[in-house]
Amino acid sequence: MRDFFERFKILVWKELIQFVRSKGLLIFAIYAFTLDIYFAATGISLTLKNAKFYVQDMDMTSVSREYAYKFQKPYFNFQGYILDDKQIEKLLIDDKAIAVLRIPDGFERDFKHGEGELGMIINGAEIVSSYLFSAYAAQITYNFIMEHFPIKGIGLIEPERRLYFNQNASSKDFMGISELLTIVTLFLLILPSSAIIREKERGNIEMLVVSPVRNYTFMLAKVVSMSIVILLCTVFSILFILKGVLGIHVKGNLLEFSFFTLIFVFAASGLSMFIAAISKNMLQVSQLSILVLVPILYLSGSWTPIEAMPKLLQYLSYLSPLKYYIDGAFGILIKGLSLKYIWKDFLGLLVLGFAVFSAGSYFLSRRV
Amino acid sequence: MKVVSVENLKKTYNRGKVVAVDGISFSVDREEIYIFVGPDGAGKSSTLKVVAGVLCYDDGKVKLFGQDIRSDRVVEKLKDKIAFMPQGLGLNLYHTLSIEENINFFADLHDVPYDVRERRKKLLLEATGLLPFKDRDAGKLSGGMMQKLGICCSLIHTPELIILDEPTTGVDPVSRRELWKLIYRFVKEEGITALISTSYLDEAERSTTLSIMKSGKLIVTSSPEFLLEKKIDVYEAEGEDVEKAYDIAWGCFKIPRLKGKVLRFVADDISPVSNLSLSVKKVEPSVEDVFLLNTGLKRVKLEPFFKISFDIPDEAIVAKNVVKNFGNFTAVDNVSFTVKKGEIFGLLGPNGAGKTTLIKMMTGLYNPTSGECFIAGFKGEKIKQVIGYMSQKFSLYSDLTVYENMVLWGKIYNVHGAILKSRIKEALRMVDLEKYRNSVVESLPLGIKQRLALMCAVIHGPAVLFLDEPTSGVDPAERDAFWQIIRFLAREISVTVIVTTHYMDEAEYCDRILLMNRGRTIAFGTPSSLKSETLKKIGMIYEVKTENPFSDVDKLTKKGFNAVLYGRKIRIYSKGILSPSEIEKIGVKVFSFKEGDVSMEDVFVFAVGSDEF
């Protein structure tokens, strides 16, 4: 038994040293767990910000000006008035504006009679912001009408919003955490398989097979050491990047999250071993990792809500370990739940992880 | 006009931190075979690459065909006149293209017209004997065949200068002899000039001019004849007290080497060993003697730093009718032998003969298709703790330090704690690795790496040690140190050693040799018995120096002599006794004529050659 533990310990230690000494991988890991997450959280926005627009006001009355005034910062950014129709096209082509509001002559007169028309020309090239623009604009217009023509006898129905979990409704929290989970998955796919392939390529593996080291000891040492690396990086990233730099409110118990991640490590490293079993060199490892990562991401619900997918894909999503991980991780990190509330995800991950891990290590041990 | 002239060439790497070539000058005439010989890392490759125009240099003047190659434009113009084959087996070839497609590709690179290409391709394929395999993928060829194809591809555009970087490293003696024949043939027939590097010292004698290179400098440049005519008193001693004499020799003589049962050394006065029971005779100096005199040898002071942890039977290895098939290809075909405890057992054979496969079966990496291997009486999992293994490719962790590697392999083999620590300390001290203790392995020279690999392989006190081409490309002084260790392990600790090698002089260090070809045993015995058997079959061997060795060897073979060019000498194998007059009769002017010794290379080439037909 002592032999086994000493051997296991030294193999894990060796992997850690090798990881630290392989400059390329180390720099990539540091970048991915810090800057990449920062960029994703601050750069990708799901709310409307600073949307530039022009107004072609042919009415120029107090009502028309009041209407235009409703498009306020920080969501909107008023650029000025224009007159000519030709200018509209040019502005949109040059991406100088997301939209142009057209207010026809006689708008105030018609509006007071309870009718009236408004035009809105929206740049559809940037689908997200144009979509958001029209939604926000519709809301503004609705409110504008309601202010002026309240429905008599009932009064104005105004919903009061209360946001749970992410009170600011900032997409920063969502993007930061989901990027972290994506990075964790990416590294779990790449690190163990590349550590195995490196040994194959350099011929170290022959020496190990000749030695008393068993295949399972060897593979377990790889997975364990790489999990240590990834867990450390994850905790670091949560404490210093998500909480520290980005100021995201991370709730929930970090220990519980680490434990939950550990279960995910099993599932993902099973896939990684599968990749190692069928690739011959590092190039194939990276190609296959991308090939495996993309469907896992699509099916996880981090890009599109699962409910919005076609039925077939909804069923397939049960096979993506990332789905359970993301569900559970959001539960812990954003909702502040403890493990017993996310037992379904926990169980799913455990079952799937066990299956994938056994299959992966079986394939690999036959190839070594 | 000189084909190549180089003055004060300097080449550094890593922004000047590593000096690869340190101000060398040399020049090459038309139709010369100019050989650079030297250990790994001496700067041979850098020099050749600069001359081939594929590497920039820091300082100096390099002229090809009288034109300075400082500017890229000149290099472009000269490219049709030069061919360059980089180091490494088949590195310039496309492994998924067939032999013919590879040659066509290189021809197209140089715009060789179709009909010229076809004619030349046929000529080259016939000369190399590759014609029957022309549709085979280059990746599926043996090392020797790959190198031949590499040369074909270099010669397809009829260059005037060919630059070959270690074309024979990792290639077996038979293929090596054929490669040299090929080079000689094209030098003679087409008047090309060859610039070649090699790590085999004996090959240097095949040159017209040779330069010994070490640490970026040229130590000696001369023709081999002139070099070997220098007054060096080289002796070989044989007899009962040879091991005793070896100890004395380290104190009194220069560069003592124990080659099997023969002690070779350089001395002014041999009286210190005169009262031992030895027969000492003076021999002709070789390039190796000259090389080592310039670089020096080192004594490895060894003490038993471990005991074998197992009692093993006297028959340390028993192989019974071992067969290994890969699909319908038989890699090892019914091989049986036993190795005695404490023996140094050599496994020889051409590339692809099945040596590595055989070793892999003995170490448990492969399962035999049929037959059995017993290591120390064990089979299967149990042998793992008993054996030590050093694989063909360097396979320690090159991103760990020397010390970390030793700890790792020690613990993998269940050596722990204080025992491990003291053993590592002893091992590092004895093989002189202490100063490298905390260096990352990657940065070390090849010889040091191999010494470390050997130490890692024995850290757990194995009873049986497998070494698969442990010294390929290592410099002679390092190789000698390596063999001192192997000899010590076998003699003093009774470790049984199985070793494969392409160096024929190393074959003589072995107690017994198994020679394989195409998966089968073709010769088996002690080096001396193999030699005498071969001599019996050959008859006589003569070494002849003539006026025009290149054309004379042709004349001789046409008249039915079994003649081979060896440097500027011609070796003639003959059933009966020959006299110089018989040779002069056919118009060959003989300068010197004497009987030659049968070498291990002769044994090898003869055994493999007679197996083919």
Side-chain angles (χ1 to χ4, degrees):
Chain A
M1 233 17 211
R2 182 184 174 203
D3 288 346
F4 173 80
F5 280 117
E6 288 277 345
R7 210 183 285 150
F8 188 72
K9 229 166 58 190
I10 194 87
L11 284 172
V12 170
W13 165 85
K14 178 210 96 179
E15 290 300 329
L16 294 177
I17 287 194
Q18 284 187 309
F19 175 76
V20 173
R21 290 203 184 134
S22 64
K23 279 196 195 108
L25 215 49
L26 188 68
I27 291 170
F28 180 41
I30 291 173
Y31 165 77
F33 279 96
T34 55
L35 278 180
D36 180 72
I37 289 171
Y38 177 78
F39 290 151
T42 53
I44 303 172
S45 177
L46 300 179
T47 49
L48 201 61
K49 243 187 213 167
N50 255 341
K52 292 177 183 169
F53 73 102
Y54 285 83
V55 178
Q56 189 188 28
D57 192 349
M58 289 176 272
D59 197 36
M60 276 297 175
T61 53
S62 61
V63 175
S64 73
R65 276 196 303 251
E66 197 194 332
Y67 174 71
Y69 178 73
K70 294 280 177 194
F71 290 77
Q72 278 288 356
K73 279 185 178 181
Y75 309 113
F76 299 95
N77 190 355
F78 176 63
Q79 298 288 300
Y81 285 106
I82 54 168
L83 296 169
D84 198 354
D85 279 1
K86 280 183 195 148
Q87 257 180 299
I88 299 176
E89 203 182 338
K90 191 160 178 354
L91 285 172
L92 296 185
I93 284 176
D94 295 348
D95 280 331
K96 291 241 170 77
I98 287 174
V100 175
L101 298 180
R102 287 184 84 177
I103 303 171
D105 195 14
F107 174 71
E108 188 185 65
R109 190 190 58 222
D110 293 346
F111 187 71
K112 283 183 174 161
H113 285 110
E115 43 200 57
E117 283 180 325
L118 277 169
M120 204 172 289
I121 300 161
I122 297 174
N123 185 352
E126 290 175 54
I127 185 67
V128 177
S129 40
S130 64
Y131 192 76
L132 289 169
F133 194 100
S134 70
Y136 279 49
Q139 182 72 32
I140 288 168
T141 313
Y142 169 78
N143 288 346
F144 186 72
I145 297 168
M146 278 302 166
E147 264 174 48
H148 289 268
F149 303 102
I151 302 167
K152 290 194 180 89
I154 305 174
L156 189 63
I157 300 172
E158 210 177 318
E160 289 284 321
R161 290 188 300 173
R162 293 280 180 278
L163 274 170
Y164 273 34
F165 314 128
N166 180 1
Q167 274 86 352
N168 300 331
S170 89
S171 61
K172 200 166 71 175
D173 294 25
F174 174 79
M175 284 313 298
I177 291 173
S178 92
E179 184 68 13
L180 173 66
L181 302 183
T182 307
I183 293 290
V184 167
T185 316
L186 176 71
F187 273 81
L188 276 174
L189 286 182
I190 286 182
L191 285 189
S193 57
S194 64
I196 291 167
I197 290 301
R198 248 204 328 253
E199 305 230 358
K200 253 197 209 173
E201 273 186 330
R202 292 186 191 163
N204 305 130
I205 209 143
E206 258 185 28
M207 302 281 290
L208 285 170
V209 175
V210 169
S211 76
V213 174
R214 305 256 174 164
N215 283 349
Y216 279 93
T217 320
F218 164 71
M219 289 186 302
L220 205 64
K222 296 252 172 221
V223 172
V224 167
S225 53
M226 290 304 119
S227 314
I228 292 175
V229 169
I230 291 167
L231 268 184
L232 284 178
C233 287
T234 309
V235 171
F236 170 85
S237 189
I238 289 178
L239 289 179
F240 294 98
I241 304 301
L242 293 188
K243 278 189 173 177
V245 178
L246 290 167
I248 294 173
H249 292 282
V250 178
K251 295 163 196 148
N253 190 331
L254 260 189
L255 268 179
E256 279 183 313
F257 174 69
S258 302
F259 182 66
F260 188 60
T261 303
L262 208 59
I263 306 297
F264 178 61
V265 163
F266 254 92
S269 53
L271 283 173
S272 186
M273 284 195 273
F274 185 72
I275 290 171
I278 54 179
S279 27
K280 290 199 185 83
N281 49 44
M282 285 298 265
L283 186 68
Q284 287 183 351
V285 166
S286 41
Q287 287 171 340
L288 274 170
S289 299
I290 303 286
L291 212 65
V292 173
L293 181 67
V294 170
I296 289 182
L297 278 179
Y298 275 132
L299 294 175
S300 68
S302 72
W303 288 3
T304 322
I306 289 176
E307 295 73 24
M309 292 182 195
K311 265 275 175 288
L312 179 68
L313 291 186
Q314 288 194 23
Y315 291 126
L316 276 177
S317 75
Y318 288 107
L319 290 176
S320 169
L322 192 58
K323 167 189 155 29
Y324 306 99
Y325 184 53
I326 284 191
D327 279 357
F330 275 120
I332 297 175
L333 293 178
I334 294 186
K335 298 184 189 163
L337 300 179
S338 70
L339 278 178
K340 66 181 171 202
Y341 292 99
I342 55 162
W343 66 271
K344 269 189 193 164
D345 294 312
F346 193 86
L347 195 71
L349 205 52
L350 205 63
V351 171
L352 193 65
F354 184 75
V356 174
F357 189 82
S358 325
S361 56
Y362 172 72
F363 268 112
L364 185 60
S365 66
R366 281 185 12 157
R367 293 292 178 110
V368 171
Chain B
M1 183 184 69
K2 300 275 185 196
V3 175
V4 182
S5 81
V6 172
E7 275 169 52
N8 262 322
L9 174 66
K10 244 192 188 148
K11 171 72 198 166
T12 59
Y13 292 102
N14 246 347
R15 277 171 263 115
K17 272 182 232 153
V18 182
V19 180
V21 182
D22 193 5
I24 65 168
S25 306
F26 65 93
S27 66
V28 185
D29 283 320
R30 182 164 283 280
E31 288 185 42
E32 258 200 285
I33 297 178
Y34 195 106
I35 294 187
F36 281 100
V37 59
D40 188 64
K44 306 187 298 276
S45 283
S46 300
T47 310
L48 293 193
K49 279 184 190 159
V50 165
V51 174
V54 295
L55 195 67
C56 300
Y57 49 99
D58 301 326
D59 202 14
K61 211 173 214 173
V62 182
K63 277 184 177 177
L64 289 185
F65 306 100
Q67 300 188 56
D68 198 313
I69 62 162
R70 190 96 236 187
S71 95
D72 285 342
R73 244 199 2 234
V74 176
V75 178
E76 282 310 315
K77 258 192 268 165
L78 288 174
K79 270 200 175 149
D80 278 341
K81 289 184 168 186
I82 318 172
F84 173 60
M85 189 165 98
Q87 193 174 355
L89 289 181
L91 218 62
N92 60 336
L93 303 175
Y94 293 89
H95 288 205
T96 48
L97 295 185
S98 72
I99 290 187
E100 191 171 10
E101 287 164 341
N102 262 298
I103 297 181
N104 289 349
F105 173 76
F106 280 92
D108 289 346
L109 280 186
H110 290 281
D111 279 335
V112 181
Y114 179 79
D115 50 329
V116 177
R117 180 185 91 187
E118 291 303 307
R119 233 180 301 133
R120 185 142 180 94
K121 186 165 68 189
K122 189 156 171 280
L123 175 86
L124 288 169
L125 286 176
E126 272 170 2
T128 47
L130 289 174
L131 196 56
F133 312 105
K134 70 179 169 49
D135 295 320
R136 195 182 285 185
D137 281 357
K140 291 185 183 139
L141 299 175
S142 72
M145 280 161 99
M146 270 191 197
Q147 294 305 80
K148 280 185 208 160
L149 175 58
I151 291 184
C152 281
C153 292
S154 318
L155 288 172
I156 189 75
H157 63 288
T158 12
E160 290 175 41
L161 168 67
I162 53 169
I163 300 166
L164 309 174
D165 195 2
E166 300 208 8
T168 52
T169 297
V171 176
D172 65 78
V174 177
S175 304
R176 248 155 62 200
R177 219 175 243 196
E178 286 168 358
L179 280 172
W180 280 107
K181 236 190 230 170
L182 201 67
I183 294 168
Y184 284 134
R185 177 171 164 179
F186 282 92
V187 167
K188 187 182 61 191
E189 283 179 4
E190 300 185 347
I192 60 174
T193 309
L195 191 58
I196 301 168
S197 70
T198 177
S199 65
Y200 295 93
L201 289 177
D202 54 341
E203 287 189 340
E205 287 180 43
R206 298 171 188 265
S207 63
T208 55
T209 307
L210 74 90
S211 278
I212 297 180
M213 206 168 177
K214 187 164 166 98
S215 317
K217 289 203 165 75
L218 294 184
I219 302 176
V220 180
T221 299
S222 125
S223 75
E225 294 79 25
F226 183 74
L227 188 70
L228 300 178
E229 271 160 21
K230 269 195 205 158
K231 287 302 282 174
I232 309 174
D233 295 321
V234 185
Y235 297 92
E236 279 193 347
E238 241 176 308
E240 252 174 70
D241 288 338
V242 73
E243 308 247 342
K244 225 183 271 172
Y246 183 59
D247 284 333
I248 298 172
W250 275 104
C252 312
F253 307 142
K254 281 183 223 158
I255 55 168
R257 282 147 293 156
L258 195 56
K259 294 178 172 275
K261 298 204 158 38
V262 180
L263 173 67
R264 192 180 172 109
F265 57 91
V266 174
D268 304 322
D269 171 24
I270 58 162
S271 58
V273 292
S274 55
N275 49 7
L276 294 171
S277 83
L278 279 178
S279 68
V280 183
K281 63 172 190 224
K282 202 168 169 185
V283 292
E284 269 190 61
S286 70
V287 174
E288 188 186 284
D289 295 313
V290 180
F291 180 87
L292 290 177
L293 274 177
N294 279 294
T295 60
L297 266 185
K298 50 181 160 280
R299 180 88 209 254
V300 187
K301 286 196 192 64
L302 296 155
E303 289 148 38
F305 66 107
F306 68 86
K307 268 207 245 63
I308 298 177
S309 23
F310 302 90
D311 254 345
I312 69 160
D314 279 339
E315 291 190 335
I317 298 175
V318 181
K320 277 187 204 159
N321 308 95
V322 177
V323 177
K324 179 72 189 174
N325 296 327
F326 293 108
N328 47 18
F329 170 70
T330 307
V332 173
D333 188 2
N334 205 14
V335 172
S336 303
F337 60 91
T338 55
V339 181
K340 282 177 248 154
K341 183 178 165 186
E343 196 173 24
I344 302 177
F345 191 85
L347 212 50
L348 266 60
N351 300 100
K355 303 172 307 246
T356 299
T357 312
L358 187 59
I359 284 207
K360 284 188 174 173
M361 281 192 280
M362 290 192 271
T363 51
L365 278 167
Y366 292 158
N367 285 320
T369 310
S370 72
E372 287 176 305
C373 283
F374 291 97
I375 311 296
F378 297 123
K379 234 173 90 169
E381 274 301 300
K382 276 191 187 154
I383 66 168
K384 291 194 162 176
Q385 194 67 35
V386 185
I387 62 171
Y389 174 58
M390 197 175 144
S391 75
Q392 197 167 1
K393 226 168 91 187
F394 176 77
S395 38
L396 296 182
Y397 291 100
S398 44
D399 37 8
L400 299 186
T401 66
V402 167
Y403 185 75
E404 286 163 350
N405 260 299
M406 296 206 72
V407 172
L408 176 73
W409 291 106
K411 290 203 171 183
I412 282 180
Y413 279 97
N414 306 336
V415 186
H416 312 296
I419 305 172
L420 180 63
K421 255 189 198 150
S422 72
R423 212 176 262 182
I424 292 176
K425 205 175 156 210
E426 278 292 282
L428 291 181
R429 188 178 60 78
M430 272 185 315
V431 301
D432 218 9
L433 286 174
E434 266 166 335
K435 60 178 170 230
Y436 300 112
R437 196 186 131 110
N438 293 321
S439 330
V440 173
V441 170
E442 196 157 29
S443 59
L444 300 176
L446 186 67
I448 305 286
K449 278 185 190 169
Q450 295 303 82
R451 237 193 279 166
L452 170 66
L454 180 62
M455 284 299 116
C456 287
V458 298
I459 191 91
H460 59 293
V464 181
L465 186 59
F466 292 93
L467 308 170
D468 196 0
E469 284 186 34
T471 51
S472 212
V474 177
D475 103 72
E478 275 301 334
R479 268 167 53 204
D480 186 77
F482 196 85
W483 275 94
Q484 288 182 47
I485 303 171
I486 295 181
R487 214 177 292 129
F488 175 83
L489 292 173
R491 300 286 177 266
E492 306 297 324
I493 319 185
S494 345
V495 177
T496 311
V497 182
I498 315 286
V499 58
T500 69
T501 179
H502 280 322
Y503 291 97
M504 286 302 115
D505 55 337
E506 287 185 356
E508 310 208 16
Y509 301 175
C510 301
D511 295 320
R512 279 191 308 161
I513 291 168
L514 179 79
L515 192 56
M516 289 179 77
N517 191 34
R518 294 187 295 171
R520 288 176 297 112
T521 309
I522 53 170
F524 186 33
T526 63
S528 55
S529 72
L530 285 178
K531 275 195 214 166
S532 58
E533 268 171 43
T534 307
L535 193 61
K536 247 182 259 161
K537 283 183 201 151
I538 294 176
M540 303 292 287
I541 298 174
Y542 295 99
E543 279 181 9
V544 187
K545 283 183 194 167
T546 69
E547 196 178 20
N548 297 307
F550 291 136
S551 56
D552 291 343
V553 75
D554 257 8
K555 281 184 198 163
L556 284 164
T557 29
K558 267 185 201 141
K559 289 282 172 203
F561 288 99
N562 185 0
V564 177
L565 202 57
Y566 195 88
R568 289 242 152 162
K569 284 179 280 188
I570 299 174
R571 275 171 89 92
I572 303 176
Y573 304 93
S574 145
K575 287 272 176 220
I577 292 170
L578 272 186
S579 69
S581 58
E582 276 176 82
I583 297 170
E584 290 204 312
K585 254 192 283 175
I586 58 167
V588 172
K589 198 166 177 212
V590 176
F591 287 158
S592 85
F593 185 92
K594 64 177 181 118
E595 267 185 47
D597 278 334
V598 60
S599 65
M600 250 350 261
E601 194 186 304
D602 290 322
V603 173
F604 189 101
V605 172
F606 191 79
V608 173
S610 50
D611 183 56
E612 303 280 329
F613 306 110

